[in-house]
């Protein structure tokens, strides 16, 4: 079978490679992949950012996906052939202190599908039973492929933020995590504004508007005045930084109200800023990383209820047979959440 793999440590360098169909181990199920999404971290692998130096190459990438179980190992008891599933792709070891106390999202030895071992841009993946999550009835398969990033947004908003009805919320960054976070913050009762830059003007900010969200371009000149207007000159109660850009935190500090909360979701690398204003305004600085079982449950309910509008959000224009197109468009901000039909890899 063919899989789309990162093959060398340079920008681009994605190729279709031949792989054996895996044999599931005793505690694994073999999943026939139907749909797989393209994530910001997949684009990070495409550009080969330093966070991915640890990868052994070639590795088939892809970690946001859905499919059906076609075979189960002898010790698999909770799933059967034919079940529709997604994977929780950041796998805790089950043994370390964090896993023992129920914080496997910050496991000391976590491994990530599509980074540390072959991922879902191929027809079949063998997955340990404890990393599988059932897809509930009534969820379209193409939408189920977006459950994983939705769970990241669900964790950021529901578990790690204090967004409450009537709160004024700014989500910085109209990428996939930003637009999911924004929809969930709205479902939680917030009045939500999404900010982006000029590059987001072609696809991502218009998409935010199609999702019914208010938008601001931070490079438009009138940004500060708009924020002041929208918040009666008080500032936002909660600001989510999903930009992954060094400017995200400093601009969150400018936009949040005194006594408000900043939730860091994007991974920025490094930034330099004065932090006394944070202390003097008693800003609550909260991080949110990955997601767990409960976040996936919430993600599926939000998708099924339409609070997360996957029909509008998903971009099905791209193919794994011509994946450079999708990656280049993603990096240029000309798409937000490509979802591939993985069955196209059948030869
Ligand atoms: Zn992802
Ligand atoms: Zn662990």
């Amino acid at each position: 079978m063919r899989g789309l793999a990162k093959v060398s440590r340079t920008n681009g360098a994605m190729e279709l490679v031949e792989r054996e169909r895996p044999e599931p181990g005793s505690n694994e199920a073999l999943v026939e992949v139907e749909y797989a999404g393209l994530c910001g971290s997949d684009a990070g692998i495409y550009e080969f950012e330093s966070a991915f130096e640890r990868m052994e190459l070639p590795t088939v990438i892809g970690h946001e996906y859905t499919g059906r179980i076609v075979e189960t190992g002898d010790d698999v008891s909770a799933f059967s052939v034919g079940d529709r599933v997604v994977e929780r792709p950041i796998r805790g070891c089950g043994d370390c202190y964090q896993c023992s106390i129920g914080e496997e999202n910050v496991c000391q030895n976590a491994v990530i599908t599509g980074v540390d071992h072959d991922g879902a841009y191929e027809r079949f993946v063998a997955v340990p039973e404890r990393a599988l999550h059932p897809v509930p009835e009534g969820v379209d398969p193409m939408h189920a492929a977006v459950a994983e990033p939705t769970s990241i947004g669900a964790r950021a908003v529901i578990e790690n933020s204090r967004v409450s009805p009537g709160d004024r919320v700014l989500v910085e960054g109209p990428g996939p995590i930003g637009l999911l976070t924004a929809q969930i913050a709205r479902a939680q009762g917030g009045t939500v504004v999404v900010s982006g830059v000029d590059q987001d003007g072609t696809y991502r900010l218009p998409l935010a508007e199609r999702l019914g969200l208010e938008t601001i371009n931070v490079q438009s000149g009138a940004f500060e005045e708009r924020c002041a207007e929208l918040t009666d000159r008080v500032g936002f109660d909660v600001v989510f930084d999903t930009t992954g850009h060094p400017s995200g935190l400093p601009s969150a500090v400018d936009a949040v109200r005194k006594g408000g909360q900043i939730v860091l979701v994007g991974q920025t690398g490094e930034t330099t800023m004065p932090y006394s204003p944070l202390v003097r305004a008693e800003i609550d600085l909260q991080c949110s990383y990955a997601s767990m079982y409960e976040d996936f449950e919430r993600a599926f309910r939000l998708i099924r209820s339409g609070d997360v509008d996957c029909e509008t959000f998903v971009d099905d224009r791209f193919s794994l047979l011509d994946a450079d197109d999708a990656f280049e468009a993603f990096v240029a901000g000309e798409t937000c959440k490509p979802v591939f039909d993985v069955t196209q890899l059948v030869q």
Side-chain angles (χ1 to χ4, degrees), residues 273-341:
M273 57 174 293
Y275 63 83
S276 299
L278 282 163
V279 178
R280 288 201 293 263
E282 204 174 61
I283 302 303
D284 172 14
L285 199 56
Q286 170 73 47
C287 296
S288 191
Y289 180 68
S291 59
M292 294 198 282
Y293 191 97
E294 187 180 19
D295 307 309
F296 273 78
E297 285 290 297
R298 284 176 166 149
F300 278 122
R301 288 177 217 152
L302 288 160
I303 289 171
R304 199 163 50 172
S305 68
D307 285 321
V308 169
D309 173 4
C310 287
E311 196 60 43
T312 305
F313 180 60
V314 160
D315 186 351
D316 63 2
R317 294 176 296 164
F318 299 98
S319 165
L320 277 178
L321 300 176
D322 206 354
D324 280 357
D325 265 9
F327 283 99
E328 292 297 337
F330 186 92
V331 170
E334 289 160 3
T335 179
C336 186
K337 177 53 73 186
V339 172
F340 300 114
D341 177 353

Side-chain angles (χ1 to χ4, degrees), residues 196-211:
V197 295
D198 286 342
Q199 186 188 263
D200 301 314
T202 48
Y203 184 89
R204 293 180 171 189
L205 289 175
L207 173 61
E209 279 160 22
R210 282 194 286 129
L211 290 164

Side-chain angles (χ1 to χ4, degrees), residues 241 243-249 266-271:
D241 175 19
T243 61
H245 188 272
S247 65
L249 177 57
Q267 297 174 46
T268 293
E270 273 182 43
T271 193

Side-chain angles (χ1 to χ4, degrees), residues 40-54:
S41 68
D42 298 316
I45 295 170
Y46 180 80
E47 295 190 295
F48 214 63
E49 292 169 354
S50 57
F52 301 103
E53 287 295 346
R54 72 175 191 274

